[in-house]
Amino acid sequence: MLHDLLGVDNVEIKAVCDLVPEKVEHAQKAVTDAGQAKPAGFSKGELDFKNLNQLDLDIVYIATPWNWHVPMAVDAMKNGKHAASEVPAATTLEECWDLVNTSEATRKHCVILENCCYGSSEMMVLGMVRDGFFGEITHAEGAYLHDLRGILTANESEGLWRRFPHMQRNGNLYPTHGLGPVAHYMDINRGDRFDYLVSVSSAEASLSAYVKTKFPEGDPKRAEKYVCGDMNTSIIKTAKGRSILLQHDVVNPRPYSRLNSISGTKGAFADYPPRVFQDGQKDEDWQQIEAFREKYEHPLWKSTGELARKMGGHGGMDYVMNYRLMDCLKRGLPPDIDVYDAAAWSTPTPLSEKSVAGNGAPQKFPDFTRDGWKNRSSSMLFAG
Ligand SMILES: NC(=O)c1ccc[n+]([C@@H]2O[C@H](COP(=O)([O-])OP(=O)(O)OC[C@H]3O[C@@H](n4cnc5c(N)ncnc54)[C@H](O)[C@@H]3O)[C@@H](O)[C@H]2O)c1
């Protein structure tokens, strides 16, 4: 994130905060190496972020473990800053409402940094959807299928915290990478909204087997009891009657996929690899999406794609997201993804957990927009 932001014109990094002083120093050096003044550093304990929030800042980026996202975002907004939170923005319904209520009360944006919405294919497909290429969209699929066993059990970084929810919760722990792009295609919170969800988890097996294979007798990880099923499958029904398949599996060995597919009355898109099908085409094979790039590549990818790919983060989508968010702030435009999206896209975690515990019983989504979804217009991603 820091690397990307240092590459955007007219963005100054004024402060950095981390529990680990060496990480703060490392970040400060990256900023001075980029020719900016040394930012203030905060590393005096878990609540030192509150001191950072006393400075004169426009926006605070939050890329900490999940349990810190909401306390940090709420404190930033209450101190007059916009908040941008890593994914998921929140992990309980109460936390989702805290974000919505605080953003409304303070009139500060609360953005979820869902980089997958800014992938080259995702933005092309969004353009095709808005152009009517797929007709009326009735179904979509999203997922986070990513073998994280090594990361979850490492003795550093996410291995220090991200495995613990697997011992406490059985459901979809990481819904937004799959759901964000699909919510954009379907204009969720802007003409449609998530209505209810049903969810089922498979048995747990893979993480337990992995720690027994990888760690020697006596290692405490071998005694850990994981309750989160390997594969969680949810189905969301929207207010307009559309369906979304949403899956989560971070422990089985398999190639990466976010599914990322849609189908409508005139055609379909499926990812991994990205491909499209049009009603009436001569044969039954998928067409490569490349055939449509010239017409549908998003203007942001046309203008920043080369630099984005060089910056690298997740194939360039991190840079496009950060560039776009900074551009919106500088020009006073509303961000593409707002607090209602942050809350709705994060909500499958608590709802899937409840549905799984109730043998797949349907769970209603709160309407975080308080009926506003009926009249809110599409994000301005194509408005320049
Ligand atoms: N969008 C994506 O593609 C993507 C990819 C990776 C991670 N993430 C998300 O980013 C977030 C961070 O993930 P990560 O891989 O960088 O984790 P990490 O464990 O490597 O880094 C988290 C950092 O937060 C610091 N920290 C923890 N508590 C703190 C506190 N109270 N005050 C200040 N600093 C604190 C830690 O010292 C650590 O340096 C998570 O929410 C994760 O889900 C998103």
Side-chain angles (χ1 to χ4, degrees), residues 179-180 182-184 186-189 192-197 236-240 242 244 246 340-341 343-348 351 363-368 373:
L179 197 51
V182 157
H184 263 189
M186 288 188 164
D187 258 340
I188 295 298
N189 293 331
D192 199 358
R193 74 176 196 87
F194 301 142
D195 184 8
Y196 68 88
L197 159 157
I236 299 174
K237 190 89 193 245
T238 75
K240 274 192 170 172
R242 302 186 282 191
I244 303 168
L246 182 65
Y340 304 111
D341 304 317
W345 302 358
S346 301
T347 291
L351 293 194
Q363 304 297 322
K364 281 284 210 187
F365 280 78
D367 177 7
F368 295 107
W373 62 275

Side-chain angles (χ1 to χ4, degrees), residues 116 143-152 158 162 166 174 177 206-207 230-231 247-259 272 314:
C116 300
Y144 190 63
L145 309 176
H146 189 186
D147 179 3
L148 295 180
R149 291 172 300 169
I151 287 174
L152 289 173
E158 295 189 355
R162 195 164 167 172
H166 287 258
Y174 205 61
H177 284 333
S206 213
L207 199 50
D230 289 4
M231 171 69 87
Q247 293 191 308
H248 172 265
D249 174 359
V250 294
V251 292
N252 275 312
R254 51 152 301 133
Y256 181 96
S257 172
R258 297 194 299 274
L259 290 183
Y272 304 93
H314 295 105

